[in-house]
Each structure stands twice: as structure tokens, then as C-alpha cells.
Amino acid sequence: MATLTEEVKALFEQPFYAWVTTVRPDGTLHSTVVWVDVDGDEILFNTAIGRAKERHLRHDPRVSVSVLDPGDPYHLASVSGVARLETEGADAVIDRLAKKYLGVDEYPGRQAGEQRVNVRVSPQSVIFNPGG
């Protein structure tokens, strides 16, 4: 089990886009861009039930989440671990992420009938480069 240093947390707390890599049922990898944050010692992102990320993680909870400082391509962090999915509080989290990334109080992309889900990543491996 790895831990998130304050430097890693600080990078993930910035409104920088991250990318998540999950494992498809056939073993191939799937990467997608996400909004991300830190909650305690976990990386947190949000998706909707039925989307590829959610389906892949229910099949295989291994995941990698990486973020790159757009002002310094060598300032990056990558956290690999096991995902835990939870619906409780997911609507509030997507609204919080919308505030962080868009400056709005409510997530504008919410679809009718959509159920949001939080993905919490407990780190098993952390790579950090402070940049230059």
C-alpha cells in the first residue's frame, strides 16, 4: 500500500484534467479524461452508472489515475490502485467537481435519470515527478 504525499495531493487538487485507465473485460486498456480530486488518502473521480469506466471497474477494480501540470510537462503524478464504487454522495461530488473545473455550482451535463457514482482509488503505487 502506498500513500499520497502532500506534493501528490497538491497536484491532484489543481483543476488539471486527469486521465483514468481501466481494464476492459478482454484485458485491453481503456483510457479517458476525467475531473479528479483528493479525499483524504484516496483519489476521487465521478462517472455515471452504465458508462465504460463504471462497467470496467465492476469487472476489474484495478485502475490508474494520472495528472499532468499543463505548465510543466515533467510535473506529474500517477496513482495506481484498486477502485471502490459508491453512489452515496455522488451527486454532490460531481457538483463539487463542476465548481472546481467550470466555476459553476451544478454539473451542467447531468442527463435525466442518470445515476452518478463516485470512484475512490486507494493507492497501491504512486509515481511523482516534481518537474523542473
Side-chain angles (χ1 to χ4, degrees):
M1 184 75 139
T3 58
L4 302 177
T5 65
E6 292 306 313
E7 291 173 310
V8 170
K9 288 180 181 183
L11 189 56
F12 275 95
E13 289 169 344
Q14 295 299 311
F16 301 153
Y17 293 95
W19 64 97
V20 167
T21 302
T22 58
V23 182
R24 293 182 180 108
D26 68 1
T28 60
L29 301 177
H30 174 260
S31 294
T32 186
V33 174
V34 297
W35 294 343
V36 67
D37 212 344
V38 176
D39 188 14
D41 290 319
E42 296 178 315
I43 300 298
L44 176 67
F45 66 94
N46 187 287
T47 190
I49 290 181
R51 290 198 182 152
K53 291 181 292 297
E54 183 263 345
R55 292 191 323 268
H56 299 163
L57 291 169
R58 290 205 190 275
H59 182 264
D60 184 336
R62 293 177 298 167
V63 62
S64 177
V65 185
S66 303
V67 66
L68 174 70
D69 180 342
D72 180 352
Y74 298 102
H75 185 205
L76 61 94
S78 183
V79 175
S80 297
V82 176
R84 187 175 80 252
L85 283 70
E86 60 186 26
T87 55
E88 185 176 336
D91 286 328
V93 167
I94 194 61
D95 288 340
R96 185 174 87 212
L97 290 169
K99 184 70 165 182
K100 175 181 174 178
Y101 284 88
L102 302 176
V104 298
D105 291 331
E106 291 185 3
Y107 174 56
R110 189 173 278 117
Q111 303 294 312
E114 175 179 79
Q115 185 175 10
R116 304 299 304 185
V117 60
N118 290 327
V119 181
R120 295 181 172 279
V121 180
S122 297
Q124 292 180 332
S125 172
V126 177
I127 297 169
F128 176 71
N129 188 330

